[in-house]
Amino acid sequence: MSRPTLFWLLLIAAGLPAVSCAQAPVYIADDGKDDRAGLQAEIDRISASGGGTLQLENGTYDLASPLYLRSGVEIAGRGERTILSSKALNDRGSWWGTTLFAGNLTPGSFADETGQGYPGRPVRRVSAQEVALERCSESEVAKLPGKVVWLSSEETIPGRMERPKPVHGEFTVVTGVDGCSIRVADPIEVPPDYELLLHWSDGSRAEPAPGTGEPNHPIRDAGLRNLQLESGFDGQALLSSGCYRCTFTDLHIGNSRRLLMVQGMRHTRYQGITGTFRERGIEVVMYAKDNVVEDVEATFLPSSDHEVRPAIRFGEYARDNVVRNVRLNLGEAYVGRDKIRFDPSVGNRLENITLVVPRDDDRPRFLYKGPNELRAAGDVLPPETSLDGVRLCFAGTENCVPIG
């Protein structure tokens, strides 16, 4: 018997653990190699241990596939020279080219087999974080802990809707069940005078959202600070979708389709955002509620590969969000284009917004469009929506005209 074999046999006989030669994934700035595995492993470790900060030093951390923020984790850099980039190693477009996902949610995961409807079961409130089904299969409900669910309301507005539509919605996670009662992780914010529906996937549409590689999940109490995020070809630098009480501060967004996509977020703050975008500046959609976007300055970069879309958009029943202290330099491509668009949404506010174009045009400066379920004849803006200090300015002059 060889001496190395005898050594290992004696080690095992003594009850001592064998030492693995496998190395944990690492991340090293500026080496041109994929740092995704090492960064993701550290993010997952911090989240599993109760949360904390992942401090990154200056340099470029290259990503060949998207990075996922987790609950309780803050990723902090040293400023614009700390760069998370999918530009060099990820040449896939759309969601596949995303640099970082902060949450990963879409109502499509709760759609029926046709992909068109969003069936939900009526529930009654038991407490601020508990609902109950009137009747249920306890064996089916017992499978829910740990799963993402979607709570929504249905409201009929006389004269405005042909049929009920969900106008409140929030994503959360089931933390426990007791018979037909279901406890959730976050306080239920749908007003008490609304009927409440609970949606969950039966597994038929549980596949990951396109390009994400992961099942849908929300996160909470997480954030990014003092970083630059740079996307790959035709990608999104930061896709925030389904985050509760998160903060994104002092970020530079580069080479991104959208500067900020605020999708399904709740009680989240974006502050001190700069950068460039190629399709849309700020989009607040998909039941986003009680979020604040402030202190933003960015420039549109024209691209033959992208359609020019309104620089700011609210839609898909976004509610009670504030966007303020924003300056977007739009350029010639926005002459003759709608600057701000409202699709069905309620109670959103725009304050101190400056949109800069080379010259004026006859195009309406904001547009309230989309299905009529929240729009009556003669409405100028969606319900409870306000524009304060919103203006269109012309580059190289001091001329500005109010919008709204």
Side-chain angles (χ1 to χ4, degrees):
M1 182 179 296
S2 67
R3 288 188 177 184
T5 302
L6 179 62
F7 169 78
W8 288 109
L9 288 174
L10 291 172
L11 193 67
I12 295 169
L16 297 176
V19 178
S20 173
C21 295
Q23 293 184 344
V26 297
Y27 52 94
I28 301 172
D30 299 324
D31 64 353
K33 297 180 180 179
D34 185 10
D35 296 302
R36 194 267 178 192
L39 287 168
Q40 193 64 62
E42 186 64 5
I43 291 167
D44 293 348
R45 183 195 67 77
I46 293 171
S47 181
S49 64
T53 298
L54 170 57
Q55 180 67 61
L56 298 179
E57 299 303 320
N58 283 339
T60 298
Y61 301 85
D62 291 302
L63 306 170
S65 57
L67 199 62
Y68 294 89
L69 191 60
R70 304 297 194 202
S71 292
V73 178
E74 178 192 56
I75 304 176
R78 302 295 185 188
E80 288 189 19
R81 289 189 297 163
T82 310
I83 304 168
L84 295 174
S85 176
S86 57
K87 189 174 181 180
L89 301 182
N90 189 343
D91 61 358
R92 296 173 294 175
S94 190
W95 312 129
W96 288 264
T98 296
T99 302
L100 188 143
F101 281 91
N104 172 25
L105 289 173
T106 167
S109 299
F110 303 91
D112 61 19
E113 63 276 4
T114 70
Q116 302 299 314
Y118 304 100
R121 303 190 190 184
V123 291
R124 60 178 176 83
R125 299 166 202 262
V126 176
S127 68
Q129 291 179 238
E130 186 172 358
V131 296
L133 292 155
E134 295 299 329
R135 294 181 300 276
C136 76
S137 164
E138 292 193 15
S139 61
E140 182 182 22
V141 172
K143 299 176 184 178
L144 290 181
K147 287 193 173 183
V148 178
V149 293
W150 178 34
L151 286 161
S152 74
S153 71
E154 289 199 350
E155 178 186 61
T156 299
I157 302 177
R160 297 194 183 189
M161 291 185 177
E162 296 180 0
R163 55 191 172 89
K165 286 279 188 178
V167 294
H168 286 271
E170 52 200 58
F171 297 97
T172 187
V173 174
V174 175
T175 58
V177 298
D178 182 6
C180 291
S181 293
I182 300 164
R183 295 184 298 278
V184 295
D186 307 309
I188 300 166
E189 297 177 357
V190 175
D193 54 336
Y194 286 74
E195 292 184 4
L196 196 59
L197 299 177
L198 182 69
H199 311 250
W200 70 84
S201 172
D202 62 2
S204 63
R205 293 181 58 82
E207 71 276 6
T212 67
E214 287 207 351
N216 290 267
H217 65 270
I219 61 174
R220 56 186 50 77
D221 300 309
L224 305 172
R225 175 169 53 88
N226 289 341
L227 289 167
Q228 179 175 172
L229 300 173
E230 187 178 56
S231 74
F233 169 75
D234 194 35
Q236 183 75 24
L238 170 61
L239 203 162
S240 49
S241 178
C243 199
Y244 182 79
R245 288 194 312 254
C246 292
T247 57
F248 303 96
T249 59
D250 298 326
L251 302 179
H252 184 82
I253 305 294
N255 196 43
S256 187
R257 292 182 70 178
R258 294 170 178 85
L259 184 76
L260 292 176
M261 191 168 185
V262 183
Q263 178 171 283
M265 310 292 280
R266 295 166 61 197
H267 303 286
T268 288
R269 180 177 296 272
Y270 303 77
Q271 186 173 34
I273 312 297
T274 62
T276 57
F277 61 96
R278 291 177 280 121
E279 187 176 278
R280 176 170 284 146
I282 300 170
E283 188 165 37
V284 185
V285 294
M286 206 182 80
Y287 302 95
K289 184 177 187 295
D290 289 319
N291 303 291
V292 175
V293 178
E294 61 184 352
D295 304 333
V296 176
E297 183 165 358
T299 298
F300 171 76
L301 295 180
S303 168
S304 59
D305 296 325
H306 295 87
E307 178 185 355
V308 177
R309 301 190 178 187
I312 299 175
R313 175 183 173 244
F314 293 91
E316 298 165 24
Y317 301 101
R319 178 181 289 267
D320 301 328
N321 302 282
V322 178
V323 176
R324 62 188 174 212
N325 303 336
V326 172
R327 181 183 178 92
L328 299 180
N329 301 299
L330 301 181
E332 183 69 29
Y334 272 88
V335 174
R337 301 277 185 167
D338 297 312
K339 315 303 186 290
I340 300 172
R341 173 167 173 158
F342 294 95
D343 288 319
S345 53
V346 177
N348 298 293
R349 305 201 311 271
L350 284 170
E351 303 172 358
N352 191 27
I353 309 295
T354 301
L355 305 178
V356 182
V357 294
R359 54 192 171 86
D360 199 3
D361 57 68
D362 295 328
R363 186 76 175 181
R365 297 185 179 99
F366 74 87
L367 181 68
Y368 179 18
K369 194 176 179 180
N372 290 325
E373 56 262 18
L374 283 181
R375 181 175 184 179
D379 280 353
V380 176
L381 288 170
E384 303 170 38
T385 299
S386 67
L387 279 65
D388 183 11
V390 182
R391 54 196 168 271
L392 187 68
C393 297
F394 312 118
T397 75
E398 296 181 0
N399 296 331
C400 296
V401 294
I403 297 178

